[in-house]
Amino acid sequence: MKLTLEGIRSERAAFEAAGYALPAFDYETVKKNTYERPTWIHFGAGNIFRAFQCNVVQNLLNAGILDTGLVAAEGYDYEIIEKSNRPHDNLTILATLKANNTVEKTVVGSIMESLILDSSNAKEYDRLKEIFANPSLQMVSFTITEKGYATANASGEIFPAIAADFAKGPACPDSYLGKVVSLLYHRFVNGALPIAMVSMDNCSHNGDKLYAAVSAFANAWCANGLADKAFLDYINDKSKVSFPWSMIDKITPRPDAKVEAMLAADGIEELEPVITSKNTYIAPFVNAEECEYLVIEDAFPNGKSAWDKGGIIFTDRETVDKVEKMKVCTCLNPLHTTLAVYGCLLGYTLISDEMKNPVLKKMVETIGYKEGLPVVVDPGILDPKEFIDAVVNVRIPNPFMPDTPQRIATDTSQKLAIRFGETIKAYEARADLKSSDLKLIPLVFAGWLRYLMAIDDAGNAFVPSSDPLLEEAGKYVAEYELSAAPKDLSKLDALLTNEKIFGVDLVAIGMADTVKNYFAELSCGVGAIAKTLEKYVML
């Protein structure tokens, strides 16, 4: 069986007999409608988009609620479109890996057109311009990662490619963002048509990051006389162009070899993943968990289709912010980081396996329910306790989800402040709570210090995941060894005062000593980590 339009038409019975749900709408009619009056174009044709947004739209097409599909565009790695989307007629197999050991298999066919965001390719770029000039277009969305919106480095220096596009103007930019803004400018010159520009990347206040990037280009082009000065008014007029905030949550790890083997055993051909010249790992299938959340600020100046009937939640900006804080500061991300740090130290290679360890399981439950919930931000539209229930009982323990502590441990220094520091601040601000009552959050900090030593609990060296502060922070633990001998822990104070890392000055609030004492116990030789966790978690 081949994953192509002809394949699912000619071998429909075989697909269905193998347990695959197939598109149940009139494909040619939807394709024609989408070409003539597109409503949603998405940039960043990666795994979460194919597993989540595409499936939402397919369900709505199957139900007859929508009559237009999606347009997918890729501006970083063109080979995703050339070597994955188009050879399979934009079809994807979604393997939903459920915690009850079952797999739901769906052929998702809601992408009606896939395009390459290349300003030097006249055919591709002209079609994108046509789409952006179409009054029917309601939403332009993005999953291009947080760093995809950056126009400058940490020192504020404009990236060379961005600076070059600032000087060239909207005619033929080369940078990803420059090309997107040039298409928005094309919509402006063709009637200043309204549009919602929606970042769906997993980062705080993502709409603001997208706006900042668009605004940087608009200001530069207008200042240099390369664009109509009214373009600035256009992007700053919320009745014309909006930049809604959103919160997205769905775990979609890299396509897994076990899933590939399972699909191949069903008789699906040509499933081999492609590693592009830019080292993108892409496959004609995507494996994902069953839980999913997408909450978007309801700011759509050109109206919106009935996407909410597929599970997308539209609400006000304040509520989106609360949902994000609930997830990032309490109900998911802190638990993931806890398991990432200690999973690496204890030699785990799967997050799900960590939840079989009663000590680690109790640790994340305590951090979530006991230490986090008293100060959780409750958004009202999602119940925080039920969210944690799903995380600890369904999502993280899912044995089919091939997610690793090593992946999640990436950039930990950038995550601690928001994932734990906000809870500490809330305790400090409350008269009825004391940050000294927090016992396991300091143990996570101490675990990260121990992680920086790059030696696991068996005494073996390991390679820490990438982190911009890995080398700098590592200097503070460089002199420490696995030993029961007393240590001068005062050298750690300079690191523990760093509010950018921990969200608060741990020395100033009196938590540093707790962290240092934990660190000393974690470093008392081989096996000390497991012993220390048992001692403090299983009280």
Side-chain angles (χ1 to χ4, degrees):
M1 298 182 288
K2 291 189 176 182
L3 186 65
T4 61
L5 288 174
E6 177 57 32
I8 64 172
R9 287 168 181 156
S10 64
E11 300 181 90
R12 189 174 191 90
F15 271 97
E16 291 176 339
Y20 290 79
L22 300 178
F25 54 89
D26 185 329
Y27 187 90
E28 293 304 323
T29 298
V30 171
K31 184 176 182 179
K32 179 176 182 293
N33 291 344
T34 306
Y35 193 89
E36 293 176 352
R37 45 183 176 85
T39 55
W40 182 354
I41 183 171
H42 183 87
F43 290 89
N47 290 333
I48 193 167
F49 168 65
R50 296 190 295 152
F52 193 170
Q53 294 94 324
C54 289
N55 196 43
V56 166
V57 171
Q58 169 142 311
N59 289 336
L60 294 172
L61 289 170
N62 287 342
I65 295 171
L66 297 182
D67 65 355
T68 59
L70 287 155
V71 180
E74 176 56 43
Y76 170 70
D77 194 338
Y78 305 154
E79 291 178 57
I80 292 174
I81 302 297
E82 297 166 336
K83 295 183 177 180
S84 184
N85 280 65
R86 289 177 178 171
H88 296 281
D89 296 329
N90 297 314
L91 300 175
T92 298
I93 294 176
L94 168 59
T96 302
L97 311 176
K98 299 190 174 184
N100 64 359
N101 292 345
T102 63
V103 181
E104 184 178 279
K105 299 174 290 189
T106 308
V107 175
V108 181
S110 56
I111 297 176
M112 297 293 117
E113 188 175 9
S114 57
L115 296 164
I116 294 170
L117 179 61
D118 181 0
S119 60
S120 65
N121 186 322
K123 180 181 178 182
E124 301 280 343
Y125 211 58
D126 286 348
R127 175 57 187 151
L128 285 165
K129 285 182 175 180
E130 285 180 15
I131 292 169
F132 269 76
N134 198 316
S136 66
L137 190 64
Q138 297 173 322
M139 175 161 62
V140 181
S141 61
F142 303 82
T143 47
I144 59 175
T145 75
E146 182 173 2
K147 61 185 177 184
Y149 304 103
T151 57
N153 62 22
S155 300
E157 300 165 330
I158 303 297
F159 293 126
I162 302 293
D165 281 350
F166 281 177
K168 286 197 300 185
C172 193
D174 292 318
S175 67
Y176 201 133
L177 290 170
K179 290 178 284 189
V180 168
V181 181
S182 76
L183 293 173
L184 184 59
Y185 185 69
H186 186 72
R187 188 169 180 83
F188 162 72
V189 299
N190 281 272
L193 301 169
I195 192 67
M197 304 287 285
V198 186
S199 169
M200 296 181 179
D201 275 296
N202 187 20
C203 54
S204 179
H205 302 169
N206 45 22
D208 289 353
K209 290 177 171 59
L210 177 57
Y211 168 75
V214 172
S215 178
F217 276 90
N219 276 289
W221 289 347
C222 291
N224 294 333
L226 300 170
D228 188 323
K229 290 187 177 180
F231 182 48
L232 271 174
D233 297 328
Y234 172 66
I235 67 163
N236 286 307
D237 183 347
K238 294 180 180 179
S239 71
K240 290 289 187 179
V241 183
S242 66
F243 297 87
W245 291 0
S246 73
M247 189 288 293
I248 191 166
D249 183 21
K250 186 178 180 72
I251 300 173
T252 53
R254 173 171 148 163
D256 187 65
K258 293 180 181 178
V259 175
E260 180 186 349
M262 177 190 69
L263 302 180
D266 288 338
I268 309 295
E269 303 173 37
E270 300 174 357
L271 289 170
E272 297 79 10
V274 172
I275 301 177
T276 71
S277 58
K278 290 190 175 182
N279 291 317
T280 302
Y281 189 98
I282 194 79
F285 66 92
V286 56
N287 36 252
E289 66 170 337
E290 56 191 301
C291 294
E292 58 188 24
Y293 306 89
L294 178 54
V295 183
I296 306 176
E297 178 187 354
D298 194 354
F300 287 78
N302 201 29
K304 62 182 185 295
S305 298
W307 299 309
D308 57 321
K309 293 184 178 180
I312 296 174
I313 299 172
F314 295 103
T315 185
D316 57 81
R317 173 169 284 203
E318 181 182 7
T319 302
V320 175
D321 192 41
K322 288 181 178 179
V323 171
E324 185 203 355
K325 287 179 178 176
M326 178 200 75
K327 183 193 87 162
V328 173
C329 301
T330 306
C331 297
L332 173 62
N333 296 36
L335 313 187
H336 254 163
T337 291
T338 300
L339 293 172
V341 169
Y342 280 105
C344 293
L345 288 170
L346 294 172
Y348 286 94
T349 57
L350 284 176
I351 287 288
S352 58
D353 284 346
E354 292 187 68
M355 293 300 281
K356 298 174 185 176
N357 182 323
V359 178
L360 293 177
K361 184 174 186 290
K362 185 177 179 183
M363 186 175 189
V364 295
E365 288 174 343
T366 302
I367 290 173
Y369 292 116
K370 185 177 179 180
E371 298 191 346
L373 270 184
V375 294
V376 71
V377 175
D378 188 346
I381 60 172
L382 295 173
D383 181 81
K385 182 181 180 301
E386 291 179 1
F387 196 99
I388 296 180
D389 288 343
V391 168
V392 300
N393 296 318
V394 179
R395 302 181 68 183
I396 298 177
N398 188 335
F400 278 111
M401 289 303 296
D403 214 354
T404 69
Q406 291 74 23
R407 182 190 75 83
I408 298 170
T410 301
D411 299 339
T412 298
S413 71
Q414 311 298 295
K415 299 171 179 176
L416 296 173
I418 185 69
R419 297 186 179 191
F420 300 100
E422 293 303 308
T423 293
I424 296 172
K425 289 178 185 177
Y427 270 74
E428 287 285 300
R430 289 266 292 267
D432 59 328
L433 294 171
K434 298 182 295 183
S435 61
S436 58
D437 291 332
L438 296 170
K439 302 302 180 184
L440 298 192
I441 286 177
L443 188 55
V444 177
F445 293 159
W448 181 61
L449 298 181
R450 178 65 178 76
Y451 171 91
L452 292 173
M453 294 172 68
I455 301 172
D456 66 20
D457 203 28
N460 300 314
F462 68 90
V463 178
S465 302
S466 62
D467 188 314
L469 294 182
L470 189 62
E471 183 178 354
E472 179 182 341
K475 294 176 182 177
Y476 292 93
V477 301
E479 296 182 15
Y480 298 111
E481 299 176 349
L482 299 190
S483 170
K487 301 178 177 70
D488 177 8
L489 300 174
S490 63
K491 298 175 182 178
L492 296 172
D493 287 342
L495 177 61
L496 298 177
T497 58
N498 192 324
E499 295 184 30
K500 289 185 177 180
I501 293 178
F502 298 102
V504 293
D505 181 335
L506 297 177
V507 173
I509 67 168
M511 189 178 284
D513 285 343
T514 302
V515 174
K516 289 187 292 185
N517 290 334
Y518 282 153
F519 171 71
E521 292 191 51
L522 292 168
S523 306
C524 280
V526 171
I529 294 173
K531 291 178 182 177
T532 304
L533 291 178
E534 175 82 22
K535 176 180 177 180
Y536 292 104
V537 173
M538 305 304 284
L539 290 174

